[in-house]
DNA sequence: CATATGGTTCAACTATATTCGAACCATGGA
DNA sequence: TCCATGGTTCGAATATAGTTGAACCATATG
């Protein structure tokens, strides 16, 4: 029996460091209604991307992947491999540290 | 909510009513660095548009007019005729009533 | 291994936003 | 009334963003 190589982190997608999160980019990422809805869902708790499929089955996976990319690159979400899935998490602490109160203001439903 | 903005009278340019201010539109309007800078300037106190000319003389007036339009239509600013000028004011009370804490979070420099 | 699953990336297209000169409009003052 | 000033609007070019199928990639499972 060969010893297996450690897992390749091939699908480790880039996330901005906390201090590199830019306000205008965050605002832009949240300025799309569908992306904002996605963020609200994830704010309720970490979600597998596949779970978001069920919520909006009308959106093709390539489109959804692009939406998540915009949010990830803005520093709003973290997207980590989890088995065959991806776990989406809101970067609450980072956003709160960088822009105190912003997330609450945006996520509060009125 | 005790603080009331002065009523919007028959201005020649349309402003959304408080309840019609949409979060995503506000976020979008603020997501441009130059527009955000303009908002920060106006947040310090009402400004004549001409005064903004001095701050960024590189920007043509048609471009600046368009920037103000985006902010006005989003409900971020009020733009009132004042003699031959226009007075730009942040719609603080309306924004605070609609999205509490948002403005503070966005305008706080970090 | 083969295959199904979950997701990314590519490429091409459509759609929306931005830019800015020029024309235009309104006001205040001489 | 004429003119200068401050600003809007138009129009056309450019730039950026969104959408999507198809191809591709990694992993889990049989």
């Amino acid at each position: 029996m060969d010893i297996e190589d450690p897992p390749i982190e091939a699908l480790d997608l880039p996330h901005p460091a906390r201090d590199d999160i830019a306000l205008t980019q965050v605002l832009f990422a949240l300025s799309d209604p569908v992306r904002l809805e996605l963020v609200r869902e994830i704010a309720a708790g970490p979600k597998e991307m596949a779970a978001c499929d069920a919520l909006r089955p009308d959106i093709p996976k390539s489109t959804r992947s692009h939406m998540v990319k915009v949010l990830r690159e803005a520093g709003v979400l973290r997207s980590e491999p989890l088995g065959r899935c991806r776990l989406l998490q809101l970067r609450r602490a980072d956003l709160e540290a960088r822009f105190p109160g912003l997330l609450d203001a945006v996520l509060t439903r009125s």
Side-chain angles (χ1 to χ4, degrees), chain A:
Chain A
M1 292 283 285
D2 293 336
I3 298 174
E4 287 185 21
D5 288 330
I8 300 165
E9 302 177 24
L11 276 180
D12 225 0
L13 300 175
H15 294 73
R18 171 183 288 190
D19 290 345
D20 292 335
I21 298 177
L23 177 57
T24 52
Q25 213 178 338
V26 170
L27 295 176
F28 180 81
L30 298 174
S31 74
D32 176 72
V34 184
R35 285 197 299 254
L36 182 55
E37 191 187 341
L38 217 169
V39 169
R40 286 199 211 268
E41 290 294 336
I42 291 164
K47 263 199 162 46
E48 291 180 8
M49 214 171 166
C52 303
D53 246 59
L55 287 168
R56 299 285 305 243
D58 52 313
I59 300 176
K61 60 180 181 175
S62 56
T63 303
R64 181 171 16 249
S65 180
H66 180 256
M67 289 173 173
V68 169
K69 182 184 184 181
V70 172
L71 291 165
R72 173 176 51 79
E73 289 180 340
V76 175
L77 307 177
R78 212 183 297 281
S79 171
E80 296 175 346
L82 183 73
R84 267 181 308 193
C85 303
R86 278 194 164 268
L87 189 67
L88 305 181
Q89 286 176 271
L90 195 57
R91 292 183 65 176
R92 248 184 222 286
D94 288 331
L95 291 169
E96 187 59 25
R98 197 98 177 74
F99 315 113
L102 180 63
L103 218 43
D104 283 345
V106 169
L107 296 182
T108 300
R109 292 197 177 271
S110 52

